[in-house]
Amino acid sequence: MPELILYPVICLLAGLVSYLVCQFSRKWRVLDMPDGQRKFQAAPVPRLGGAGILAGFFSVILLAGVLHAVNPLWLGNDFLPGNVRAVAVALAASLGFAAIGAADDISDLNAVLKLVLLLAICIGAPLFGVVVPQLDSPFGNLTAPALMIAGSALWLLVFTNAANFMDGSNGLAIGVLAFMFSGLGASLLLSEAGCFPSGLIAIITACAGFLIINMRGQLYAGDIGAFGVSALFATLAIISGLSVWTIATLALPILIDTLMTLVLRAKRGESLFTAHRDHAYQALIKSGWSAWEVAILWWGLAAACATGATIGAAGGGALPFVVFVCLGLLLGFGWVRVQRSCGQMGTRLVRI
């Protein structure tokens, strides 16, 4: 099957399966309830939309397996970044994160048990091959295996939880992740890898299938989506062979808001584990922005970071680090301006 036919099939299959499963998941009656604290919705909303995204993506993985068995030349070696073993571990780890998220969505998993399970996957995945090969810096490259395993585990834990924290407004977390997957593919295309893995197209279109419903306020991704999809990005990015600074640049729209919000709460002496509305996106919603406006702003930030990451990957050398620092400072400055501005504008609550 020529690639010109294969790629549209991948897009159609992933998007269609995602959309259909998302529609079906609205009937499962697993609801996200208003809590008067972190959540903004005025009524209960079904929250297992992440199952649709993962179903769309893994349906393409199944199709890829069948096509590879029939004719290995149809897909080549660039369906997903990384070697076969690392990809298999990455996919398994993503399913593990999704399973933990689903359990939390359905039955409110015990917080300690949830953390233990997440740590087990975060540590286990690097031990089985999902590990960054080196940390490049202007002062030399770090390659100590123990350090790389520890760093990869920390990245998985921090990023997946950060994405989960950002999943509080329609289109925000999953929309940003879709742009991050696009940036990952573009960075690979213009780097030494020289290809945009077709498997990344599948997860992007699967996210689109979900967003069609989500942006109407009819379905949330839930922890199954926030954990599962973010883990998919975090693991595939690690094994892509790209610079850690390129990966970090792609993640800036999520990381900056999450980390700076935690710093703000720590400075105030507030608990880091209780529900709150201190994120920049929450401040904008409280000040009167709609979910669409917030989503479009963050999509723009994600697109800008994806563009910067791609430029850094294409240039190589110290450029990925320079791009990361510059964009990180700009986003950090923007976060401070948003918080100060919204603090002066009031806290009108809007329905999303």
Side-chain angles (χ1 to χ4, degrees):
M1 182 183 295
E3 287 185 356
L4 290 179
I5 298 176
L6 179 60
Y7 282 12
V9 168
I10 288 174
C11 292
L12 180 62
L13 178 62
L16 181 60
V17 170
S18 174
Y19 179 81
L20 292 176
V21 174
C22 282
Q23 287 285 24
F24 183 72
S25 70
R26 293 173 59 196
K27 303 178 181 180
W28 292 343
R29 307 304 298 173
V30 178
L31 302 176
D32 190 278
M33 307 298 293
D35 61 3
Q37 299 180 56
R38 184 176 70 90
K39 302 172 184 178
F40 287 97
Q41 78 266 25
V45 178
R47 62 174 181 179
L48 289 180
I53 302 173
L54 295 172
F57 173 71
F58 279 97
S59 66
V60 171
I61 295 297
L62 179 60
L63 173 64
V66 173
L67 292 177
H68 186 77
V70 174
N71 187 343
L73 297 179
W74 280 348
L75 291 175
N77 297 319
D78 58 354
F79 183 71
L80 286 172
N83 60 60
V84 174
R85 176 183 173 181
V87 168
V89 175
L91 296 182
S94 300
L95 288 175
F97 271 96
I100 295 171
D104 200 31
D105 285 330
I106 295 170
S107 60
D108 290 326
L109 203 62
N110 176 272
V112 175
L113 176 59
K114 180 180 176 181
L115 178 60
V116 170
L117 293 174
L118 290 174
L119 284 172
I121 299 177
C122 290
I123 296 172
L127 289 175
F128 284 93
V130 179
V131 59
V132 65
Q134 66 178 25
L135 172 61
D136 50 304
S137 76
F139 310 104
N141 298 335
L142 300 176
T143 59
L147 183 60
M148 296 303 99
I149 290 173
S152 298
L154 182 61
W155 156 252
L156 291 176
L157 182 65
V158 170
F159 180 74
T160 53
N161 278 280
N164 193 37
F165 292 155
M166 292 291 290
D167 188 32
S169 180
N170 295 335
L172 187 58
I174 298 301
V176 168
L177 282 164
F179 276 97
M180 290 169 59
F181 280 112
S182 300
L184 180 63
S187 296
L188 286 166
L189 178 63
L190 296 183
S191 67
E192 294 181 359
C195 68
F196 192 122
S198 53
L200 296 182
I201 298 175
I203 189 61
I204 294 167
T205 52
C207 289
F210 162 78
L211 288 170
I212 292 172
I213 303 173
N214 171 248
M215 293 307 298
R216 298 199 295 262
Q218 298 175 347
L219 181 67
Y220 291 166
D223 284 1
I224 182 176
F227 276 131
V229 180
S230 64
L232 193 59
F233 173 82
T235 52
L236 292 179
I238 284 178
I239 63 177
S240 67
L242 293 171
S243 166
V244 295
W245 303 113
T246 295
I247 298 168
T249 299
L250 291 170
L252 277 175
I254 288 178
L255 292 180
I256 287 292
D257 195 4
T258 299
L259 296 178
M260 293 193 71
T261 299
L262 292 176
V263 171
L264 174 65
R265 290 182 62 81
K267 288 181 65 176
R268 292 174 178 171
E270 298 170 346
S271 172
L272 303 182
F273 303 102
T274 56
H276 60 84
R277 291 181 177 180
D278 291 331
H279 286 278
Y281 78 87
Q282 292 170 322
L284 289 172
I285 292 174
K286 288 188 293 183
S287 70
W289 285 48
S290 70
W292 268 103
E293 291 170 326
V294 171
I296 290 172
L297 173 60
W298 252 264
W299 294 350
L301 295 175
C305 288
T307 301
T310 302
I311 293 172
L319 188 56
F321 176 77
V322 173
V323 170
F324 169 76
V325 171
C326 291
L327 286 176
L329 290 174
L330 285 173
L331 265 64
F333 176 74
W335 185 91
V336 172
R337 289 296 301 271
V338 165
Q339 293 286 10
R340 289 179 176 174
S341 175
C342 291
Q344 296 169 355
M345 292 167 59
T347 57
R348 181 166 63 89
L349 180 64
V350 297
R351 178 175 178 173
I352 63 171

